[in-house]
Each structure stands twice: as C-alpha cells, then as structure tokens.
Amino acid sequence: MPMTVAASSHPPHTARPLLAVLALALMAGCTTRGEQPEPPVELGLNFSEAGDAQPPERWWRAFSDSKLNALVGRALQANLDLKTAWQRLREARAVTNRQSAALFPSLEATAEVNTESGGASGATFDSDSFAQGGLSAAYEIDLWGRIRARTEAESLRARATHADYRAATLSLAAEVTRIWYRLAEARARRDLIAEQAATNEKVLALIETQFGHGQARSADLLRQRRLLESVRQQHHAAEAHLQTLEHQLAVLLGRRPQQGVDARRDSLPALPALPATGLPAELVQRRPDVRSAWLRLRAADREVAAAVSNQFPRLSLSASAVTTDRGAAQLYDDWALSFAANLAAPLIDAGRREAEVARTRAVERQRLFEYGQAVLTAFREAEDALIRERGQRRELASLREQVRLAAQSYSELRRRYLKGDAAYLDVLTALADTQALRRDLLAARMDLVAYRIALYRALAGGFRTEREADLARAGNRRPGPGAGPQPE
C-alpha cells in the first residue's frame, strides 16, 4: 500500500512534511546494481588449426565469383525473412524511444467550450457559454535510477536485436552461397549421370550384338539393361533435385519458385587458402549471435536494478495552469496556477515487489547460461568446420585413388571379357563401382565446399547492409534526442 504526501503552491507549509519524508527516503536508500556475474565458460587459448588468409568482411567474395556476389547482394535486399528481422529491429528501437521518454517531463494542453441554450413554445432564452483552457505538466524524479535502468535495458535489447539482424544477414549469405554451389554440383551430377547413361547404352548395344551372335548370355543382357535403367532413374532424381534447389534459391531472393534464377554455374570452385581463425576471445567479440546473448544478459542486469529500485519511494512533480471564463474573449486574462509534489512509498504489497526482484534475478541467470551456451556453440562450430574440412580433404584423396583403381579394374576386366577370359558379371560390377565412385567423388567435393562455407560462417563477424547505411545517413540528417540506438 503506497504512502502519499502531497504539496501545493497554495499552502506552502505542507511542503515541510514532504521534505522530511524525502530526506528519510534518501537516507534509507541502497544500491540498485546487482553483482556482475562471471562468464560460465572459460575461453581457450587457440583453435586446433588455423590458416593465414584474411577473408574479406563479406566472406563469400573470397570465392571470386561475380555471379555469387550479385546473388547475395540481391538476397540481402529482397529476402523476406531478412526484411522481417529488420522490422523487428525498428520495433525494438521504437520501444527504446518510448521508454526513454519517461526520463523527460510530459506537457498536455486542454481546452473546453460549452454552450447552453434553451427555448419553449413562443419563447426564446439566451444562450450561456463556458470556456476553459489549461496546461498540465508531470514529471517523476528518477531518485533510484529505476526509469534509467529500464531505458538502458530496452536500449540493450534493441542493440541485441541489431546483432540478431547481423546474424540473420550472415546466415542468409551462407545459405545463398551453399545453395548456389549445390546447384553447380547438381548440374555437374546430372551431366555426369547423363554421360554414364550414354556409356551404358553403348555397352548394352555391344552386349546385344554379342547376344545376337551367341557370344553373350541372356543374363548378361538383362543385367546391363537393369544397370542402364538404374542410371536413368538417378538422372530423373538429379533433375528433380536440381529444380528444387532452383526453387530454394528463388525464394531466398524474394521470388516465386517458378521464376528461378537468371544465373548459373556448372562447376565447383577451387577453395581459397584456409582462413585465419584468430583467438577464441576474438571470436566471442566478433560473432553477432554471441554479442546478442551478451547484450541480453546486460539488459537482464538492468531489469534487476529496476526491480530493486521499484521497492523504494517515488517522487513525482506536477504543475497546472487553468483559466476559466464565461466569455471566450476574456479567457486568458486570469490564470489559476498550482504545483504539487507527490511521494509514494510502498508499505505493504504482500511480497509482490520482492517476487519481481526474484523473477528478474532468475531471468538474469537464464541469460547468463544462454550467453555461455552461445560461446560454446561458437567454439564448436568453428572447431567442427576445421576438423571436417581436414577430414574431407583426406577423404577426397582416398576417393580419387579409388576412382583411379576402379577405372583400371574395369578396363582390364572389359578387355579380358572381350577375349573370353572373364565373366560379364565381374565387368558389370566394376563398371557400376566406377560410376558410383565418380558420383561419390563429386558429392565429396561439394561437401568440402560446404565445410568451407560453414567455416567462414562460424568465424565471420557482422557487416553493414544497405538498410543500415541508409538509416545511418537518415540519422545524420535528423540529429536530436530520441533517435534510438545507432547501428554498431
């Protein structure tokens, strides 16, 4: 139950109790800042592997692919999910501006005009007018920093939303890059399967000729036909996969799936040099998702401070000026002025404010552990990408050797079969193994590119988009209070 003490400009003696209560409240005040929590994880000294190359801020440009650069730029402008993230940022900044307005006095103007008139049958009465105008101002003195703490909390949350937007841009760029090269791999796979189908058709024609001359068995003919149909089935699947990838890329660019893309690539890129990873502590400061978690932790700390401050008395000031007259012509001749100070101190609230403090402290601990998890996830993603790329390079070397050996084996068995020294089943098995290994080699090359994209994404910091640049330019043109947090 709040205790209220008010003072008015008319009876000046009532201000003395107010000053006495205010002095006691100031003496009883205590700090509103909680203890700064320690990070829940330790930062390692370095990563397991690191390169020397310094990728550009817009890391996809390290692939030196002008078509990819154009697609990513288009996606950053047109992607609807990214536009949604931008509107969330604008919403968060508006909330910050709304909250910061509580730091300043409010002023309202009022005006009222009433006219009364009446009449009866055969009689007319004169009208009577009543006019009133006034101004009223109110201001809460932020004795314990409650309003400022909440303003700071909203500002920190807006900055965290900004970091979320930066993280969304990185994820979008990585997804466009990944699907772009998946498309190249899908086209190369389709062409490879078409080439294998043509090879199988030639072999089938040879078997049919031999069968016609009694030099091949019907089982050999059936096996070759089945292999050909299997390769054709894979060609159909490759075509369908290619189209679905085109649909995915079109949607990322803000287009209907049927529109597709007006650029294409038919081969996978050669990977740039391994990027420099830097130190884990640098990664924590660089990654926008980790920064977002840290800012939300700081915002939760300020919410604790606001909840603690809410247990202390509040002091608010109000002033008003009112003028009233029966005629509007003399409305502003006489004014009635008043000033009041109100001190409200909580006495009994059944533990509601203490419960709110406990709740905000629990939220702060949640944000602390979320921040620690974000740090660990960042480390894991970087380490995983490094290990996978290293392992994939070894797998590629092994697959290349297997393809070479399988091709030699098929060539030798085919030669022996034509001389009648080998069964066709051995030739067919060698041919199928060779073709499958070539498809596996293409998929493994794509996996290596995907792991490099994941590594760039794991190590990347944020970059300024055109929307942010436009907002910064607009802020420079319209300086003043209430502009909200600026892009970082």
Side-chain angles (χ1 to χ4, degrees):
M1 180 177 66
M3 177 184 68
T4 302
V5 179
S8 172
S9 61
H10 297 297
H13 61 277
T14 58
R16 294 173 184 172
L18 171 65
L19 295 177
V21 173
L22 177 58
L24 291 174
L26 289 171
M27 294 174 62
C30 61
T31 179
T32 61
R33 270 194 84 87
E35 297 181 0
Q36 186 67 24
E38 293 293 331
V41 297
E42 294 183 3
L43 304 183
L45 296 179
N46 48 48
F47 290 101
S48 60
E49 187 176 357
D52 299 323
Q54 292 294 336
E57 185 181 59
R58 298 172 182 259
W59 52 265
W60 60 90
R61 293 181 178 176
F63 290 105
S64 300
D65 189 335
S66 59
K67 294 180 180 178
L68 172 63
N69 296 341
L71 286 175
V72 173
R74 192 182 308 168
L76 293 176
Q77 288 291 328
N79 181 265
L80 298 182
D81 285 337
L82 193 59
K83 289 183 177 180
T84 301
W86 179 254
Q87 294 305 318
R88 282 196 292 267
L89 174 57
R90 295 187 64 181
E91 175 191 4
R93 286 176 171 167
V95 170
T96 302
N97 291 340
R98 182 184 65 188
Q99 178 61 40
S100 63
L103 292 169
F104 303 94
S106 64
L107 178 65
E108 293 183 351
T110 60
E112 181 181 357
V113 177
N114 290 328
T115 301
E116 299 177 359
S117 62
S121 177
T124 302
F125 298 96
D126 295 334
S127 63
D128 187 16
S129 62
F130 171 84
Q132 178 175 301
L135 296 173
S136 61
Y139 177 59
E140 179 180 344
I141 299 178
D142 196 16
L143 291 176
W144 320 107
R146 177 183 58 86
I147 299 175
R148 184 167 297 279
R150 286 183 174 171
T151 301
E152 291 173 353
E154 293 297 347
S155 177
L156 288 165
R157 276 192 284 266
R159 290 169 61 189
T161 307
H162 188 193
D164 292 340
Y165 172 76
R166 289 277 179 91
T169 61
L170 288 174
S171 297
L172 176 61
E175 188 66 7
V176 171
T177 304
R178 187 186 67 84
I179 293 181
W180 172 245
Y181 288 124
R182 286 284 181 194
L183 272 170
E185 185 260 347
R187 293 190 183 98
R189 173 179 290 271
R190 179 196 59 187
D191 296 343
L192 174 61
I193 293 175
E195 174 190 328
Q196 293 175 346
T199 299
N200 291 338
E201 287 175 353
K202 292 178 181 179
V203 174
L204 177 61
L206 175 63
I207 300 300
E208 288 175 343
T209 300
Q210 291 180 326
F211 179 75
H213 291 85
Q215 298 174 347
R217 298 177 301 172
S218 60
D220 297 339
L221 182 62
L222 292 174
R223 290 189 183 103
Q224 183 60 35
R225 286 176 176 172
R226 193 203 69 81
L227 178 61
L228 176 58
E229 287 302 321
S230 174
V231 173
R232 285 173 175 170
Q233 178 267 328
Q234 293 183 39
H235 188 270
H236 297 324
E239 282 283 1
H241 181 57
L242 178 61
Q243 293 178 14
T244 58
L245 287 173
E246 290 177 343
H247 294 169
Q248 292 179 38
L249 185 56
V251 171
L252 289 176
L253 300 178
R255 299 178 174 181
R256 291 183 294 106
Q258 297 86 345
Q259 287 183 284
V261 293
D262 54 3
R264 57 180 293 155
R265 182 186 177 97
D266 298 319
S267 61
L268 292 174
L271 290 186
L274 191 67
T277 58
L279 299 176
E282 296 172 343
L283 179 64
V284 168
Q285 297 175 359
R286 186 168 61 239
R287 280 188 45 145
D289 56 339
V290 177
R291 180 170 176 78
S292 172
W294 169 243
L295 290 168
R296 293 185 193 282
L297 171 59
R298 290 178 57 193
D301 173 70
R302 303 314 300 143
E303 289 289 359
V304 172
V308 172
S309 301
N310 199 40
Q311 300 177 107
F312 304 150
R314 297 185 186 182
L315 176 62
S316 59
L317 306 177
S318 62
S320 64
V322 180
T323 178
T324 306
D325 195 88
R326 290 292 177 179
Q330 291 81 34
L331 177 62
Y332 299 105
D333 290 346
D334 297 318
W335 289 85
L337 305 178
S338 66
F339 172 82
N342 182 285
L343 180 67
L347 296 180
I348 300 174
D349 63 358
R352 179 174 61 85
R353 289 176 175 83
E354 289 185 3
E356 178 63 14
V357 172
R359 185 194 70 81
T360 54
R361 290 194 189 280
V363 171
E364 182 185 25
R365 299 301 293 178
Q366 294 175 40
R367 298 295 177 263
L368 174 64
F369 297 133
E370 289 171 358
Y371 168 65
Q373 186 62 44
V375 171
L376 291 178
T377 300
F379 293 164
R380 179 187 60 80
E381 290 177 353
E383 283 288 352
D384 287 353
L386 287 167
I387 292 173
R388 285 172 177 168
E389 179 167 337
R390 183 169 63 245
Q392 193 66 18
R393 290 184 183 277
R394 296 170 180 169
E395 181 179 339
L396 273 172
S398 176
L399 278 172
R400 290 190 178 100
E401 181 64 13
Q402 291 181 58
V403 169
R404 185 184 69 82
L405 294 174
Q408 290 181 353
S409 176
Y410 167 69
S411 179
E412 176 64 19
L413 287 171
R414 186 172 183 273
R415 183 184 64 79
R416 291 177 56 190
Y417 170 75
L418 293 177
K419 292 175 62 176
D421 295 336
Y424 182 70
L425 181 59
D426 295 335
V427 178
L428 184 66
T429 301
L431 176 60
D433 289 345
T434 301
Q435 293 179 346
L437 283 169
R438 291 183 65 189
R439 295 191 294 268
D440 291 344
L441 179 61
L442 181 60
R445 289 182 58 206
M446 179 62 232
D447 288 342
L448 180 61
V449 174
Y451 295 151
R452 174 56 65 86
I453 294 172
L455 179 59
Y456 282 136
R457 172 65 183 87
L459 298 176
F463 58 89
R464 174 177 284 197
T465 63
E466 190 61 31
R467 291 187 186 91
E468 294 172 272
D470 291 342
L471 181 63
R473 286 191 290 268
N476 292 334
R477 288 194 298 267
R478 294 192 298 271
Q486 295 302 308
E488 300 174 89

